[in-house]
Amino acid sequence: MASAHPTVDHEEIKRWAEKHGGRPAKVETGAPGGILRLDFGEKDPNLTEISWEEFFAIFDDNDLALLLPPDAKSRFNKFVARPKDLRH
């Protein structure tokens, strides 16, 4: 069984999210950036929708990667610390 793979590629992340009906969002925490999320389906009232530009600024500033599933139908995703081999 294949496992999720980490990516930092902005275009891959955006394409994957939009293909699954996802929008960039964050949880407001009071701290700079908040906590990134991808919001799917109906708008979650606990999330603040943000632009892709803001999303990727927070993503890169925090050295994150996104785990994406091997199953094209799955919406599983998880933000993780960026692996050393994916750092710029």
Side-chain angles (χ1 to χ4, degrees):
M1 173 184 226
S3 62
H5 74 279
T7 185
V8 297
D9 183 283
H10 293 190
E11 288 305 314
E12 179 183 12
I13 292 167
K14 185 176 177 182
R15 271 193 314 273
W16 180 88
E18 290 177 345
K19 177 181 176 186
H20 292 85
R23 299 171 305 283
K26 67 179 179 178
V27 176
E28 296 287 357
T29 62
I35 301 170
L36 285 183
R37 293 286 185 260
L38 290 170
D39 193 10
F40 297 93
E42 280 190 47
K43 184 177 178 348
D44 184 327
N46 297 312
L47 298 177
T48 301
E49 197 164 330
I50 57 176
S51 68
W52 282 113
E53 183 177 282
E54 181 178 356
F55 178 91
F56 288 120
I58 297 166
F59 183 80
D60 290 336
D61 286 349
N62 289 284
D63 282 330
L64 297 175
L66 184 64
L67 288 180
L68 295 177
D71 177 358
K73 295 178 184 177
S74 175
R75 289 191 327 200
F76 167 82
N77 68 91
K78 182 178 180 179
F79 293 95
V80 297
R82 189 170 293 188
K84 289 181 183 179
D85 63 329
L86 294 178
R87 292 186 183 165
H88 301 299

